[in-house]
Amino acid sequence: MKLSPSLLSANFANLERDIKELENNGIEMLHVDVMDGHFVPNITIGPVVLQSIRKITDLELDVHLMISNPGQYIKAFADAGADILTIHSEADIHLHRTLSMIKEMGIKAGVSINPSTPLFMVEEIAEIIDLLLIMSVNPGFGGQSFIEKSLEKIYKADQMRKNRKLDFLIEVDGGIKPSNSSKVLNAGADILVAGSAIFKGRNICENINLFNDFVKMDSKQ
Ligand code: DX5
Ligand code: ZN
C-alpha cells in the first residue's frame, strides 16, 4: 500500500513541521490539493506555495488540480516542482491535449473522475496516463464520508487496465480511513489519499501506524 497524505488537513501555519513528520514516518508521496473556487466551491493554494514546499522536501509531489481550464496552469505547476499533475476530466474538454502537455514537461500525468463521472469518460486516454484518480467523495472539502459505490468503479478500472495491459496507477481520494483501507486496496487501488485520517488529533505517527496495522491484519486473514 502507498499512502499519499493530503496536505489539506495539515497545519497551514506549520507545513514544514508536518511534512517532516510524514517523512520521518516512511511516507514517500504528498498529495497537494489545489482548488480554485470555481471548479469546486473551496479555494486553497497555488504554484507559489507549491514552490516553497518543493524547497523543503524530496517527497513525490502528487498535485491534484481541482481547477477549471487546467491547461492554462500546467507550466506554472510543473515549474513549481510537481512530480505528478492530475487534472479533472470534467474540467477540460481537451483532455488529450492537456495530458500530453503535462508529459511534455517531463512529469507524470494523471486524470481524475468525480463520483458522478462514469469510467468510460477516460477510456480513450487510458493509454497516455500514469495515474487514474478516482474520487470517493465530491471534491472540495476534507473530512467527508467515503461513497461506497466508488468500490465498483475502482474494481472496473482495475479490470480495464488488466484487460488492456495498461500500467497506470489507481489512486483513490476521499473518506479513506484505516478501517476502509483494505477494501479499497482489495478492489484494485494502489495509492490511498488520506487527509483527516492522517492529521487527526495531530498524532501523525500513530495515525500512519493505524493504517499499516489494518492492512497487515487484513493480509493475514
Ligand atoms: C477533497 C480532496 C481530498 C481531501 C481528502 O476534495 O481532494 O484530497 O483532502 O480528505 P479526507 O481524507 O479527509 O476525506
Ligand atoms: Zn485530493
Side-chain angles (χ1 to χ4, degrees):
M1 165 193 57
K2 202 156 202 182
L3 270 178
S4 191
S6 161
L7 207 62
L8 192 61
S9 295
N11 180 351
F12 272 68
N14 224 323
L15 288 179
E16 184 167 12
R17 194 188 56 199
D18 281 4
I19 291 171
K20 291 297 154 196
E21 196 152 356
L22 296 174
E23 287 175 359
N24 294 338
N25 284 285
I27 293 297
E28 295 170 0
M29 263 175 119
L30 183 66
H31 187 83
V32 182
D33 287 304
V34 176
M35 304 184 187
D36 66 351
H38 185 262
F39 178 67
V40 287
N42 205 356
I43 301 180
T44 56
I45 60 166
V48 175
V49 177
L50 186 70
Q51 197 175 17
S52 302
I53 295 171
R54 177 75 296 165
K55 286 187 188 138
I56 58 128
T57 187
D58 289 329
L59 290 180
E60 187 170 27
L61 296 180
D62 164 29
V63 180
H64 179 192
L65 295 181
M66 285 163 275
I67 63 175
S68 302
N69 298 320
Q72 250 180 289
Y73 299 95
I74 298 309
K75 189 173 180 324
F77 283 100
D79 289 348
D83 295 298
I84 308 173
L85 268 184
T86 298
I87 58 172
H88 264 265
S89 72
E90 307 83 359
D92 195 336
I93 51 171
H94 299 294
L95 269 187
H96 186 278
R97 178 188 289 156
T98 309
L99 290 165
S100 306
M101 205 193 287
I102 298 173
K103 298 196 75 122
E104 276 160 25
M105 297 275 156
I107 58 179
K108 292 182 188 159
V111 70
S112 183
I113 47 177
N114 282 336
S116 61
T117 303
L119 184 67
F120 69 72
M121 293 304 284
V122 296
E123 265 178 21
E124 300 300 325
I125 43 91
E127 269 89 3
I128 61 165
I129 57 172
D130 298 293
L131 182 130
L132 172 64
L133 173 56
I134 297 180
M135 290 307 299
S136 42
V137 296
N138 290 298
F141 304 95
Q144 305 179 78
S145 300
F146 181 83
I147 298 171
E148 292 293 324
K149 185 93 170 66
S150 322
L151 289 170
E152 228 175 277
K153 205 189 277 181
I154 300 163
Y155 178 77
K156 272 194 203 162
D158 187 36
Q159 290 303 109
M160 171 175 88
R161 98 179 140 170
K162 282 180 181 144
N163 292 341
R164 290 168 60 182
K165 298 191 173 45
L166 300 175
D167 58 3
F168 60 82
L169 294 168
I170 299 177
E171 181 175 48
V172 181
D173 185 3
I176 303 284
K177 296 180 181 58
S179 57
N180 62 19
S181 53
S182 296
K183 65 179 176 191
V184 177
L185 291 170
N186 290 338
D190 307 292
I191 306 167
L192 305 182
V193 176
S196 44
I198 294 283
F199 294 98
K200 193 176 58 176
R202 314 292 324 146
N203 198 334
I204 296 174
C205 173
E206 206 169 275
N207 292 337
I208 292 173
N209 286 338
L210 275 178
F211 271 97
N212 293 331
D213 292 348
F214 262 90
V215 173
K216 256 186 244 152
M217 233 161 51
D218 185 71
S219 62
K220 279 189 196 142
Q221 279 166 8

